[in-house]
Amino acid sequence: MNLLTDIVRLNWPDNINEVTNIRQVKVSDWLKNGDFEIRSQITDSDKYSLFNYTKSFLSTNAYEIEKMACACIETLISIEHKKISKRSLAWIIIKLYYAAFYAAHALMRSMGYLCIHIDNEAAGAIEKNSHTYYPHSKRPKAGYYLIHYNSSDDEIIFDRASNNKGSHHFMWSCLINLIDKLLAQLAAKSTVYQPYMLSLSTLRDIMCLRGNTSGNWLSVIRNDVTYKHELGVWYPNKKLKKKLELKILKDIDLSKNLVDIDLTVSHKEELLSFVNAVNYLNKLMIDVSDDLINRNSEKKSFLKKNYLRIM
């Protein structure tokens, strides 16, 4: 049993586990449909709140979870372990990164945090709604946002990225903040949770290697492999020691319990730290998805239709 799912569950939007049928409406389309209200003038075009008066955002949140959870599993399935070639390690690393990227999105969304790009059309829809009651409201800016769905009062808080971080860097920086929140919640629990606190803290340390204090290290490794052909994983210029290569391939194993994944902060064997960190994120996403499914009182979780099918 993965006790970290207990902590993630504390942060679920109310009744997200009880969602059954979902409309395939992503956040930008939900905004364009105008299923919200604005209760105060928008004075900051980078940060503002909407209210989910129609209660329809819960379904959109669920759809956004399902979309990323399926993408994670589909990417993992594309890595066929039995057909792994000694010449294909680079693409395994790249695919593992993208699986973890999707897993991280799904995990955040299960806690009501969504990293989303708001385009000009969606920003215009917010402006139009706001001007109905507040004609002097500022027009929201397009761009990458962290959206927090505070389901206790149906408030949806929009906070635009304040710098030029790309979508990946922005998402990892948001995840680091959520990890800190989970660590604080773990610290308040009994000692039985300590192994999970230690493993999650180690994951955080790995994500911040090479001085990447905002948690972007996994993306740095992806870039080093993809664009720079570094770290000795591309054929025919591979420089990876055979023993390390075999260990990396062996560690691609999602059947392990979360706390049994060998998370190691290593400056010398970065790829080993990378593989186990992404495995941890992928496994945590699978465990949280299972928890969402098992806690649907009608046994008709929204994740059963497409997510379980692809699993």
Side-chain angles (χ1 to χ4, degrees), residues 21 41 62-63 68 121 123 126-127 129 134 156 201 232 279:
N21 297 318
Q41 181 171 302
Y63 172 61
M68 288 300 179
E121 187 178 353
I126 298 171
E127 179 187 35
N129 185 301
Y134 306 99
I156 306 164
S201 179
N279 281 346

Side-chain angles (χ1 to χ4, degrees), residues 128-153:
K128 180 180 179 180
N129 185 301
S130 179
H131 280 182
T132 302
Y133 301 100
Y134 306 99
H136 299 296
S137 279
K138 288 188 175 181
R139 178 186 174 90
K141 292 179 182 176
Y144 289 109
Y145 279 82
L146 175 64
I147 299 173
H148 178 209
Y149 176 36
N150 181 4
S151 59
S152 60
D153 59 8

Side-chain angles (χ1 to χ4, degrees), residues 97-301:
Y97 170 82
Y98 278 101
F101 176 74
Y102 299 135
H105 270 292
L107 284 168
M108 290 178 63
R109 293 171 186 200
S110 74
M111 293 185 280
Y113 291 88
L114 303 90
C115 287
I116 298 287
H117 183 267
I118 301 299
D119 60 23
N120 283 315
E121 187 178 353
I126 298 171
E127 179 187 35
K128 180 180 179 180
N129 185 301
S130 179
H131 280 182
T132 302
Y133 301 100
Y134 306 99
H136 299 296
S137 279
K138 288 188 175 181
R139 178 186 174 90
K141 292 179 182 176
Y144 289 109
Y145 279 82
L146 175 64
I147 299 173
H148 178 209
Y149 176 36
N150 181 4
S151 59
S152 60
D153 59 8
D154 281 319
E155 183 180 18
I156 306 164
I157 303 165
F158 287 68
D159 193 353
R160 185 172 174 269
S162 58
N163 50 40
N164 293 321
K165 292 177 182 176
S167 60
H168 288 242
H169 193 172
F170 178 56
M171 187 279 293
W172 293 120
S173 67
C174 294
L175 180 64
I176 278 288
N177 291 333
L178 270 183
I179 287 175
D180 288 340
K181 181 179 181 180
L182 293 174
L183 287 171
Q185 291 172 329
L186 280 164
K189 292 291 185 178
S190 65
T191 55
V192 71
Y193 287 87
Q194 288 304 305
Y196 296 90
M197 185 173 179
L198 177 60
S199 66
L200 189 61
S201 179
T202 304
L203 173 69
R204 191 193 192 287
D205 290 342
I206 292 173
M207 291 172 62
C208 294
L209 281 169
R210 293 197 202 174
N212 289 279
T213 55
S214 59
N216 193 45
W217 179 78
L218 296 175
S219 185
V220 170
I221 294 297
R222 183 276 310 255
N223 290 341
D224 283 352
V225 171
T226 307
Y227 304 114
K228 298 180 181 179
H229 282 217
E230 292 183 352
L231 302 177
V233 293
W234 285 100
Y235 182 84
N237 300 311
K238 288 174 63 175
K239 298 177 182 178
L240 210 60
K241 291 181 180 179
K242 186 67 176 179
K243 185 177 180 181
L244 178 58
E245 181 178 357
L246 291 173
K247 181 165 179 53
I248 288 172
L249 294 175
K250 182 181 178 181
D251 281 354
I252 303 173
D253 180 7
L254 292 173
S255 65
K256 293 180 180 179
N257 293 324
L258 196 69
V259 291
D260 293 330
I261 294 175
D262 185 20
L263 288 173
T264 304
V265 181
S266 175
H267 297 277
K268 292 184 177 180
E269 296 181 346
E270 287 187 313
L271 284 178
L272 199 56
S273 294
F274 174 90
V275 167
N276 285 312
V278 295
N279 281 346
Y280 188 97
L281 286 167
N282 292 330
K283 176 61 175 174
L284 180 57
M285 190 282 296
I286 291 170
D287 289 351
V288 169
S289 297
D290 287 346
D291 197 33
L292 280 166
I293 292 168
N294 293 333
R295 291 182 182 276
N296 182 283
S297 60
E298 297 180 3
K299 306 301 179 186
K300 296 178 180 179
S301 170

